[in-house]
Structures are given as structure tokens and as C-alpha cells.
Amino acid sequence: MRLSPMSSSLMRIPAARRGLITRSPIRSLILSRDFSFKKNADAKERVVILGSGWAGYSLARTLDPAQYERIVISPRPYFVFTPLLASTSVGTLEFRNILEPIRRIPGKIGFYQGWADDIDFNRKTIKVETNAAEEAASKTVVPPPGGQITVRAKGDLIDIRYDKLVIACGAYSQTFGIEGVREHAHFLRDIGDARRIRLRVLSLFEQCSYPNGSDHLTVDDKRKLLHFAVVGGGPTGIEWAAELNDLIYDDLGKMYPHLLPFVKISVYDVAPKVLPMFDQALATYAMEHFARQGIEVKTEHHLERIRLADGRLGQKHGGLGLKIKEYGDKEVGAGMVVWSTGLMANPLISKIASKSHTIFPYTNGSANPKTGEPSTTRHLVVDQRTGGLMTDGQLRAQTVTAENKKGVMDDVFVIGDCAVIEDDPLPKTAQVAAQQATFLAKQLNRKAFEEAGKKEEAAATFKFRNWGTLTYLGGWKAIHQSKADELKGWVAWIVWRGAYLTKAMSWRNKALVPIYWMISWIFGRGISRF
């Protein structure tokens, strides 16, 4: 009898060892052709987090990896320490000083770079549009009035399963449908925005450094190009105007002294006063400090349009024309507009809230064994003012049936800028988002312990603890307000830097940030364009 090569090889092995091979579990599995594997009874629950901002990143870091499989889905593979974003846009800090890579979160972490396109709450799956091939630090996407994200080509779609879902996808900058904002304004929400702002500021000074003449910019053109308009009198707009003023008069003024007479920084706000979260005394101190620095603040001014300037100034140099309501038909020239006027809902929120969802209390369509509650068709509850998703005090997504019967989804949570707690609206700040993430992580970690037989007292509903508000005013001055005290000037600036340094997420950046502060103070800010 002729043996196959495999049989010949086996015959050359001693009988005792042949018996071990023929009786091995691996051979039995191959011969039976049964490749089905049962799910490990001890497998961890999968918690999928949509977003890598303050809410999503803080939750991913705090959630216990020994109890949960953590999956983060975000269009950017990093977290941005947004309070210092304005500093990077003027070269005080380098961009990587305020970034934290998602994949460096301690413990095993899963990550998919992409946009959450849709959610199927019945099948517990998320449809994700991948964007790993795109530039991660892309320009802030501001949806047009129709709600579509952009006109870019759609990426590949993949399905991601979840056991628990945390929606922390944040919000977008609010443009109020004003003409030209999406096309011509600069936002300050991501590291890509900061980089473009930095390049634009340096480019404007370089363009205006050419000598005057018929073939170059006129004196009037330079005044327009070196007018920096900030729309929005909140902390972001005020801090960026202050950081820009520091850059111009501490660094650029030494290299372009002949251009300083043309420089102008203006802050426009539709409200009667800027910094509305501060009391009147601190807001007045901030405005007086700005006036001493030459920064013009215009309250009760409404921007109606942004467009390219007429002629060569707009075509060759990107100059802008700003139409201000209080000025009638007169337009104001500017070289740059930084937009910081509030937030609007993420398009994903609008998409999932506009549809009805068939939700089963338990898997396989079974009813709740305690209440007998069958599957129901529900809608997510949306806050009419902000467009965010309504939650209960434990940050669970609220739902409502056609009969107007309210409920919650026990496996879906909403935190951060896209969440609105019922009867307790909170400001859309990093402080609120981080505290919500910490609260939810503790709740989920505690629940896992209780399911393992270790009973602990359930935590109360989420309560926000306000640690105070800080705003930098430039020139080593700041303001700080909390329930305990109110500070202004140099002392508040020390508190401002100390608070942001201690809140940095990684020890790497806790070390790098003060080093770059010192480098900028001794050697000046980085002004290279690249």
C-alpha cells in the first residue's frame, strides 16, 4: 500500500508518540471540521465610547480595563487639551504639548478612527465611516444649514458591536447661518485649527512687510490685512485675542516694527457685555486691561456677512470684508476672523433623534421579567434649545413613546457637550464634561463589582462641582472666579497656569509644558512657518 507523505511521516514516529498525536485535541478538532468557538463566559462587557474629547477621553482613562473592554471611536486619534489650544496657535507652546494619543491610554484599549454615522439600538451596533486615510488634524467641520457634514467623499463603512454605549461626540461651532462664516472664518476647536491660525497670522505679517508701491500693498491695504477680528466674547475669544496681542508685541513687533502702527485687534460680541460667566467687576477689569493693551471690544455688534475683499486685496492676499449690522451698509476690512460664538448639536445627534427605535428591554426580544414590559418603539428626547440629548441624573439617554411615556435606555449614556441633564442644564465646558466622565466611570466600575457579588452602596445622581472659571487676559494677567474667592491680575495668572498644568493628562506633557513656557519666555515664541 502506498502511503501519503503525511502518513509516511507519522510512521517514522515511535508508536507511543504516534498515539499522542492521533489522540490530540488539535487533530480531533481538524477531523471534525468544527471551527465554532463558544464565547468565554467570563468575557468582559464591551463599552464603546463615541468621541475623544474631554468626556470620551476622561471616561476611557477612568473606566476599569480589568472589568470592561474599552473601545473608542473618534475621527481623531488623540485628545486635545483645549484650554491651551490658543497658546499653540501663537507659538507659546508646541502642538504636541497638548495632545494625548488615544492608543497610549494605560491598559488594553481599542480604537477605530472614523465618524459614527448611525446607531442601531436594537442590534446594538454602530455604523462607522472610517477616515484613517485622511489628515487627522483636519479643519473643524461645520455642517451647513441642511445638517450634512461636508461634500467630501464618503469613507468605508464598518459595523462595531457594543454592550454599553457612551455618546460623547461633542458639538460643533455655531454659525447662526451667517453668510461666509463656514468659508472664511477660522475656528479654534482642534489642533488643525490652531496650526492654520498660526500660519495665517505669520503669513499676513510677511505679506505686509513688502515696500509700498503701485505693484504692492498700499498703506490702507496693510491696515485691513493686519486687522484681526475675533467674533465672540467668551473665554475662548478673549484668551485668543490676549495670546495674539502677546505674540505681536513681544515677538513680531521686534521683527516688523514698521508694521505695528497698522495692527488692530477687535473683539465683537452681540451681548451687552463680554465674559458673561464672570461678575461685573471682573468683566470690567478685563475690558479695562484690554483697553490699556489697545484691544478694542465692541459689544452689541452683530456680524452679518464675511466675504472676500474687493479687487486684488481679496484675490491675491485673502483679505476679508466684514459687514457689521451697527455700521449699516459700511464694511470693515480684516485679514483674519476667528469665530467663537457658541455650539450647535453634532449631526449624529440630529440623525438618531429624528428616527424611531424599536428597543427591547432584554436580548432576543424578550420582555422585562420583573415588569413584563415588552419591546417598545421610542424616540430619543432632544433639548429644543441646544439640540443635545436629554438624560436623567445618572446620564442615561431618555426616550419617549408615541403615548408620551418617558423612559431611559439602561445601556446608552450621554455625556459632555451633547448631553443635557433634565432639570439641571449645565454649561458646555471641559470641567463639566470631565466630571461627568469621572462620575459615569465610577458608576460602571461599581456596577461591575456588584455583579461579581461585592455589594456597594449605589452612587447618587450626578452633581456638578464648580471649581471656578479662569480666563487669560495677556501681559501675565488673568481673572479667576469661584465660590471661594475672586482673583485678578498677576496672582490669577499664577493660578491659571498652575491649574492648567496640574490638569494635563500625562506626566510627559506635565513636564513638557513648563519647559516650553520657559523657552518661550527666554528665547521668544516659535515664528517659523511650515
Side-chain angles (χ1 to χ4, degrees):
M1 180 177 66
R2 186 174 181 181
L3 300 175
S4 66
M6 176 64 76
S7 300
S8 301
S9 301
L10 287 174
M11 291 301 293
R12 290 194 293 268
I13 299 175
R17 296 182 62 189
R18 285 205 306 271
L20 291 175
I21 294 176
T22 56
R23 292 192 300 270
S24 68
I26 297 176
R27 183 177 185 276
S28 300
L29 178 62
I30 294 174
L31 293 177
S32 66
R33 301 178 64 84
D34 182 9
F35 292 96
S36 61
F37 294 91
K38 294 183 179 179
K39 184 179 178 180
N40 188 346
D42 297 328
K44 304 173 187 176
E45 269 196 306
R46 172 180 284 190
V47 179
V48 175
I49 303 167
L50 302 184
S52 61
W54 276 94
Y57 183 79
S58 299
L59 177 66
R61 292 177 75 245
T62 314
L63 201 61
D64 188 359
Q67 301 179 60
Y68 293 103
E69 179 189 2
R70 303 167 299 168
I71 303 292
V72 178
I73 297 172
S74 174
R76 61 189 190 190
Y78 52 79
F79 160 79
V80 181
F81 191 83
T82 49
L84 294 176
L85 198 57
S87 296
T88 66
S89 71
V90 299
T92 305
L93 294 172
E94 286 305 313
F95 301 118
R96 286 184 176 85
N97 295 162
I98 66 168
L99 299 183
E100 305 286 357
I102 301 299
R103 292 189 180 275
R104 283 192 172 176
I105 293 177
K108 186 177 180 181
I109 189 82
F111 173 72
Y112 297 101
Q113 185 175 333
W115 306 85
D117 186 70
D118 203 354
I119 302 172
D120 187 330
F121 295 107
N122 181 18
R123 295 176 55 239
K124 288 193 170 185
T125 59
I126 306 155
K127 194 170 291 297
V128 178
E129 179 189 350
T130 62
N131 76 328
E134 300 178 12
E135 180 187 357
S138 58
K139 184 177 181 180
T140 292
V141 179
V142 182
Q148 297 297 318
I149 291 182
T150 58
V151 295
R152 60 184 171 81
K154 202 171 185 67
D156 296 332
L157 294 176
I158 59 175
D159 287 334
I160 304 298
R161 178 191 61 82
Y162 70 85
D163 296 310
K164 286 183 170 62
L165 174 64
V166 181
I167 302 174
C169 53
Y172 287 100
S173 296
Q174 177 65 269
T175 65
F176 304 100
I178 297 175
E179 178 187 348
V181 173
R182 295 179 63 248
E183 294 80 8
H184 303 301
H186 286 76
F187 302 90
L188 193 55
R189 303 272 301 165
D190 199 354
I191 204 71
D193 302 327
R195 184 173 181 271
R196 267 173 285 273
I197 287 174
R198 184 166 166 176
L199 292 175
R200 178 64 178 166
V201 171
L202 298 175
S203 174
L204 288 171
F205 272 86
E206 204 62 50
Q207 290 181 63
C208 293
S209 66
Y210 295 121
N212 299 332
S214 58
D215 294 332
H216 301 286
L217 295 171
T218 64
V219 170
D220 187 54
D221 289 339
K222 293 180 181 181
R223 291 188 188 279
K224 292 178 180 178
L225 286 179
L226 293 179
H227 177 207
F228 299 93
V230 183
V231 182
T236 301
I238 294 297
E239 286 196 352
W240 188 78
E243 293 275 11
L244 176 64
N245 192 71
D246 287 351
L247 169 67
I248 291 173
Y249 289 96
D250 291 348
D251 298 276
L252 296 182
K254 299 173 183 177
M255 301 164 195
Y256 307 96
H258 59 292
L259 296 181
L260 286 182
F262 307 132
V263 174
K264 181 180 179 182
I265 302 174
S266 300
V267 179
Y268 298 95
D269 198 284
V270 70
K273 90 178 186 78
V274 296
L275 299 173
M277 66 291 301
F278 290 92
D279 63 25
Q280 187 61 50
L282 289 178
T284 300
Y285 171 82
M287 296 308 94
E288 291 174 351
H289 180 72
F290 266 27
R292 288 193 296 271
Q293 292 186 311
I295 301 175
E296 190 173 20
V297 178
K298 296 179 177 292
T299 55
E300 298 182 291
H301 279 60
H302 179 68
L303 188 72
E304 289 191 330
R305 182 178 68 188
I306 304 177
R307 67 172 183 87
L308 285 176
D310 296 324
R312 185 185 59 182
L313 184 64
Q315 295 171 359
K316 293 186 65 176
H317 302 283
L320 302 174
L322 310 180
K323 185 175 182 181
I324 310 297
K325 185 176 182 180
E326 280 65 24
Y327 293 155
D329 293 331
K330 182 181 178 182
E331 288 188 324
V332 179
M336 183 177 183
V337 178
V338 173
W339 190 268
S340 176
T341 59
L343 302 174
M344 63 182 292
N346 188 300
L348 173 68
I349 303 301
S350 304
K351 187 172 186 177
I352 61 177
S354 64
K355 300 188 300 183
S356 60
H357 305 277
T358 302
I359 301 171
F360 295 97
Y362 286 82
T363 57
N364 301 322
S366 61
N368 187 321
K370 295 182 180 179
T371 64
E373 178 188 3
S375 63
T376 55
T377 300
R378 313 181 197 177
H379 282 84
L380 293 168
V381 182
V382 177
D383 179 58
Q384 297 302 315
R385 187 178 65 87
T386 65
L389 292 178
M390 297 292 296
T391 75
D392 66 355
Q394 295 183 1
L395 306 179
R396 297 174 297 182
Q398 285 193 345
T399 61
V400 63
T401 65
E403 295 78 22
N404 204 30
K405 181 180 178 182
K406 287 188 176 182
V408 294
M409 299 174 70
D410 291 327
D411 54 1
V412 179
F413 304 87
V414 190
I415 58 177
D417 289 348
C418 59
V420 180
I421 300 176
E422 186 179 29
D423 301 326
D424 189 20
L426 295 170
K428 307 299 183 184
T429 64
Q431 189 177 165
V432 172
Q435 289 188 31
Q436 287 178 340
T438 301
F439 168 83
L440 180 57
K442 289 181 178 179
Q443 286 287 88
L444 294 177
N445 292 341
R446 178 180 289 110
K447 184 176 181 180
F449 272 114
E450 290 177 353
E451 291 174 352
K454 301 177 180 179
K455 294 292 184 180
E456 293 187 13
E457 183 181 354
T461 57
F462 173 74
K463 298 295 182 183
F464 172 60
R465 185 174 183 179
N466 191 347
W467 292 102
T469 307
L470 289 159
T471 298
Y472 178 57
L473 303 177
W476 294 24
K477 299 289 193 304
I479 53 176
H480 170 260
Q481 178 175 306
S482 67
K483 292 182 179 180
D485 53 24
E486 293 184 0
L487 302 173
K488 58 186 178 181
W490 185 77
V491 175
W493 175 80
I494 294 293
V495 174
W496 175 80
R497 286 211 162 177
Y500 287 171
L501 180 60
T502 56
K503 291 296 182 181
M505 296 294 187
S506 68
W507 286 106
R508 176 183 181 274
N509 283 346
K510 286 180 189 291
L512 286 177
V513 167
I515 289 174
Y516 274 91
W517 277 339
M518 183 64 67
I519 290 173
S520 297
W521 178 56
I522 297 174
F523 302 105
R525 295 169 178 82
I527 61 164
S528 299
R529 278 198 300 147
F530 59 90

